[in-house]
Amino acid sequence: MDSRKAWGWGLASVDDEGRTLDVWYPHLSLGAAPAPVDRPAHGFDALVRENPDARGVRRLPVFTESSLDDEISSTADAYLRLHLLSMRLAVPNSLNLEGIFAKLNNVVWTNYGPFAPENFATRKLAVLSETASEPARLSADVTVLSVDKFPRMVDYVLPTGVRIGNADRIRLGAHLADGTTVMHEGFVNFNAGTLGVSMVEGRISQGVIVGNGSDIGGGASIMGTLSGGGKLRNSIGEHSLLGANAGIGISLGDNCVVEAGLYVTAGTKVSLYDKAKVAAGTPLDVVKGSELSGKDNIMFIRNSVTGTIEARTRKHGIELNEKLHKN
């Protein structure tokens, strides 16, 4: 990033208690904000609603400035930082996101936009009553998509050059590089994602980065900071494969493979395969998984005869199908 500040106009949804439910930023700029007299117009005139609608929600323009190394100052600031990640203006782990959960409100996300959870049934009735007089929407219902602090990314940011099988599984704040394909069971959390062409069929947890040319197999899992990893930042390098239903609690370097169904954590005992020692009947050296974290050219397998987990040297990385990633 060229700057540690960002700014922009957003359109905020504010409930009848004055809480900000969400903020949408169509465009953001890096750098120090201009003086008030030099700010561009927000362009939301037709969308602003000063009086609450049937959801009890007002839509108001908000000008937000953010110092990206400082603590998050408001809900609007939190949404700005999430937008920066999904807009590819910042990469995961480059922004201060400490305390973000405290700045975000729990929201009922629906096809009619965000609702406050309190009195949802009453608000739903109000919306349905308001739309009942419109013949084209007579059969429309309020569909709840989720109840969460984070909305779907695609309702706010749609990055170019990606395919997403199930948009419900990509949170705002995910970083999807051009050429990324996320299949239907793939999941990408906020402050996580890909840095290049990638196939995602498993779960990329918060804080995890996947390098160019790598494949996260179906049902695979990467331990992140919200799934027991504490402050540890795990990652996967380039041209590596995390096999189907496999998992890691360590980082993988470049050109690595974890075989299907194998889970390697920091404390996993791993035998370092040596062909000469095997031929001589000499015991293999054994290390903890943490000692191999981030190292290149390793294939992790479970020996089908002995049941031990082995680390073997791998000379070449995987190659993704180029045709599948020309998005």
Side-chain angles (χ1 to χ4, degrees):
M1 294 180 62
D2 296 329
S3 171
R4 302 306 301 171
K5 295 180 181 294
W7 61 274
W9 279 106
L11 185 65
S13 300
V14 181
D15 72 2
D16 53 8
E17 293 188 12
R19 296 175 299 184
T20 299
L21 303 182
D22 77 335
V23 185
W24 172 46
Y25 296 95
H27 307 285
L28 287 174
S29 297
L30 295 175
V37 295
D38 297 324
R39 292 175 187 172
H42 55 67
F44 297 137
D45 292 338
L47 301 176
V48 171
R49 184 159 187 163
E50 296 283 353
N51 297 317
D53 60 16
R55 296 172 298 153
V57 172
R58 296 176 294 146
R59 292 192 298 188
L60 305 173
V62 56
F63 186 83
T64 308
E65 304 175 56
S66 181
S67 295
L68 303 175
D69 293 320
D70 295 343
E71 292 184 5
I72 297 172
S73 60
S74 64
T75 304
D77 186 9
Y79 269 89
L80 184 147
R81 300 186 197 205
L82 294 174
H83 276 71
L84 287 175
L85 289 163
S86 291
M87 288 175 169
R88 304 174 185 155
L89 295 174
V91 296
N93 303 323
S94 68
L95 307 178
N96 185 350
L97 298 179
E98 288 293 326
I100 191 170
F101 284 92
K103 296 299 183 182
L104 297 175
N105 291 299
N106 209 28
V107 174
V108 182
W109 304 103
T110 79
N111 57 323
Y112 281 87
F115 285 69
E118 296 83 5
N119 301 317
F120 171 69
T122 301
R123 295 300 189 188
K124 177 179 177 178
L125 284 171
V127 169
L128 294 178
S129 298
E130 184 178 78
T131 59
S133 59
E134 304 176 36
R137 302 176 68 177
L138 201 57
S139 61
D141 198 356
V142 176
T143 301
V144 176
L145 305 174
S146 66
V147 183
D148 196 4
K149 294 195 171 193
F150 294 82
R152 307 189 309 174
M153 179 190 73
V154 297
D155 293 329
Y156 298 79
V157 179
L158 188 59
T160 58
V162 304
R163 287 195 291 139
I164 299 172
N166 184 350
D168 291 341
R169 297 179 64 82
I170 312 297
R171 271 175 153 181
L172 180 63
H175 182 286
L176 301 185
D178 196 316
T180 297
T181 295
V182 184
M183 298 301 287
H184 295 74
E185 293 303 316
F187 170 78
V188 186
N189 210 337
F190 77 98
N191 194 38
T194 61
L195 299 183
V197 176
S198 303
M199 173 63 78
V200 181
E201 300 178 87
R203 188 183 76 185
I204 302 179
S205 300
Q206 198 271 356
V208 173
I209 299 175
V210 177
N212 180 57
S214 291
D215 186 333
I216 312 303
S221 174
I222 309 163
M223 187 181 293
T225 55
L226 299 181
S227 56
K231 293 187 178 299
L232 181 65
R233 303 288 191 183
N234 290 320
S235 62
I236 291 181
E238 297 188 351
H239 301 288
S240 291
L241 169 66
L242 186 58
N245 297 313
I248 51 173
I250 63 173
S251 292
L252 297 183
D254 298 340
N255 309 322
C256 292
V257 171
V258 179
E259 76 163 25
L262 178 63
Y263 208 116
V264 181
T265 67
T268 300
K269 298 296 181 64
V270 182
S271 297
L272 303 180
Y273 183 82
D274 185 310
K275 188 175 181 179
K277 287 187 175 183
V278 172
T282 305
L284 299 175
D285 295 332
V286 178
V287 300
K288 289 184 177 181
S290 58
E291 296 181 48
L292 302 176
S293 182
K295 294 188 176 181
D296 301 335
N297 302 99
I298 298 177
M299 179 170 64
F300 293 90
I301 66 169
R302 185 181 295 278
N303 188 305
S304 60
V305 176
T306 65
T308 59
I309 297 173
E310 296 178 352
R312 301 192 177 197
T313 300
R314 180 181 174 86
K315 294 182 179 180
H316 306 290
I318 67 165
E319 293 295 334
L320 298 177
N321 187 331
E322 291 184 7
K323 294 180 181 179
L324 294 180
H325 298 275
K326 289 183 178 180
N327 302 332

